[in-house]
Amino acid sequence: MNLSVVGAASALPARPFTASELNELSIKRYDLRVAVERGEVLRPFRGVFIPSGVEDTAETRAAAVSRVVTPHHVVSDRTAAWIHGVNTYSLSEQAQIPAIETCARRGYAPTRLEGVDGRSRDLLDRDIMTINGVRITTPVRTALDLGCNLKRREAMAALNELAREHGITRSDLYQELPRFKGRRGVVQLRELVPLLNRHVESQRESWTLLAISDAGLPLPETQVWVDVEGIPTYRLDFAYRLAKVAVEYDGEDHDDPDQRIYDEERRGWLVDHGWIVIVVRRGDFTGDRLDAWLREIKDALTPTYSSRRF
């Protein structure tokens, strides 16, 4: 059977499967490799495959992980976030196929299965939920763990994305923080929780907001609509309304020619109506380029007139 000829929809099971099932499914390894290269089959983790025609849901993702994870371990950290609909892996990690991350509750040994990163962790019953038969940390517990475990910018993005997807609030996280006293990474977590923002719409927008905070600048409003003749027309990523300063992150989607034309027209209108528009791009988060746009914000927010006489 050649998957590249017959196609994934007719040749593959309508569910996730593992490499150990290939003989049972009458699939040759070469054919599977071709199907993966053609995008007919996805390989989220080592030895785990999902036909592209299968609906991408939390249940499907949990079913994929269940092919590898043993019942007495809990899926955690970035794998849990992935099941909850939030991708926290870097591009290089995805290219190399990441390990499934799990933890064992205290008193049980972490898994040593190949392709699984097993750890031990103090988990309460309220930290665990079940999706499609797989035990997994809840969105709140996953956010708390990633707030400790990930690098600072990635941790902020993960917190915001999980909050947006699952309605997590600062109060939810503050309630659990005392349990994390003494845990490695908790200082970072305590710093990030007050900055939680469910309205941020991308990882790099989270990075932008965090950089503004780290620079000691006042935090802008998020996703601000600007009216044209009384009608909400232009939405800004971040804005200081009174100062009429907009801060926008331009990701890869802004490379599209039509999007660029729209951006130019929109920003031209804003400038004509008294706004200062500061644009942040992909490579603007380190060194001089980071300092440059933060300085632009600071200068734009510095009053040019004071009512004070002396």
Side-chain angles (χ1 to χ4, degrees):
M1 177 183 64
N2 190 329
L3 296 180
S4 64
V5 175
V6 300
S10 61
L12 297 171
R15 60 168 177 79
F17 62 95
T18 64
S20 63
E21 298 177 80
L22 294 183
N23 288 337
E24 176 187 338
L25 296 171
S26 300
I27 299 174
K28 295 180 180 179
R29 289 186 179 274
Y30 171 79
D31 294 334
L32 177 60
R33 185 166 62 251
V34 171
V36 170
E37 291 173 354
R38 289 168 60 95
E40 296 169 349
V41 175
L42 308 177
R43 183 172 58 171
F45 303 103
R46 185 182 303 175
V48 179
F49 303 92
I50 305 176
S52 60
V54 177
E55 185 179 2
D56 185 16
T57 64
E59 288 73 22
T60 296
R61 295 184 177 197
V65 171
S66 74
R67 318 303 291 184
V68 177
V69 175
T70 54
H72 57 281
H73 289 108
V74 180
V75 178
S76 61
D77 299 336
R78 293 178 297 177
T79 309
W82 177 74
I83 293 176
H84 289 311
V86 174
N87 185 0
T88 61
Y89 295 102
S90 68
L91 292 177
S92 60
E93 286 175 314
Q94 293 178 66
Q96 296 173 7
I97 311 299
I100 294 174
E101 296 173 341
T102 69
C103 59
R105 300 179 78 165
R106 296 298 181 189
Y108 293 89
T111 183
R112 294 185 177 181
L113 289 174
E114 184 179 1
V116 181
D117 181 1
R119 307 178 182 219
S120 294
R121 193 164 293 161
D122 289 320
L123 294 174
L124 301 179
D125 289 342
R126 69 172 183 264
D127 295 326
I128 303 170
M129 63 188 299
T130 301
I131 300 178
N132 211 0
V134 178
R135 297 202 300 170
I136 175 175
T137 52
T138 64
V140 168
R141 177 65 200 225
T142 303
L144 291 163
D145 287 333
L146 294 180
C148 292
N149 298 344
L150 297 185
K151 294 180 179 179
R152 197 162 186 273
R153 292 187 305 193
E154 286 79 0
M156 186 76 263
L159 285 168
N160 285 339
E161 290 182 62
L162 283 163
R164 185 176 71 250
E165 290 292 327
H166 298 279
I168 297 172
T169 66
R170 293 175 191 167
S171 178
D172 294 331
L173 301 181
Y174 277 129
Q175 185 176 347
E176 300 294 337
L177 268 179
R179 296 171 49 201
F180 283 68
K181 183 178 180 180
R183 175 173 164 175
R184 185 177 182 182
V186 71
V187 172
Q188 172 178 280
L189 178 63
R190 290 195 189 108
E191 293 173 350
L192 297 182
V193 169
L195 301 176
L196 187 75
N197 190 320
R198 289 186 290 172
H199 303 294
V200 176
E201 294 185 340
S202 72
Q203 182 191 63
R204 297 302 173 99
E205 285 185 19
S206 288
W207 291 17
T208 301
L209 197 60
L210 182 61
I212 292 172
S213 174
D214 287 348
L217 296 168
L219 292 178
E221 295 179 67
T222 309
Q223 309 305 335
V224 174
W225 283 98
V226 176
D227 291 353
V228 177
E229 297 181 354
I231 300 173
T233 304
Y234 298 130
R235 191 177 67 160
L236 309 175
D237 294 337
F238 305 105
Y240 301 91
R241 290 179 193 263
L242 292 179
K244 299 188 80 171
V245 175
V247 181
E248 300 211 283
Y249 174 72
D250 278 4
E252 294 179 355
D253 55 319
H254 290 265
D255 292 336
D256 177 77
D258 291 337
Q259 182 64 45
R260 281 204 301 269
I261 292 172
Y262 173 73
D263 287 339
E264 290 174 3
E265 292 176 350
R266 182 170 64 97
R267 289 166 184 166
W269 184 94
L270 290 167
V271 170
D272 289 344
H273 288 78
W275 283 82
I276 296 173
V277 181
I278 298 167
V279 180
V280 182
R281 296 183 173 83
R282 187 178 184 86
D284 292 347
F285 291 97
T286 58
D288 292 342
R289 293 175 66 173
L290 171 64
D291 293 339
W293 65 264
L294 289 173
R295 188 164 50 250
E296 283 187 74
I297 296 176
K298 182 178 180 180
D299 292 345
L301 295 178
T302 300
T304 57
Y305 172 82
S306 174
S307 61
R308 187 179 179 89
R309 183 181 174 192
F310 53 82

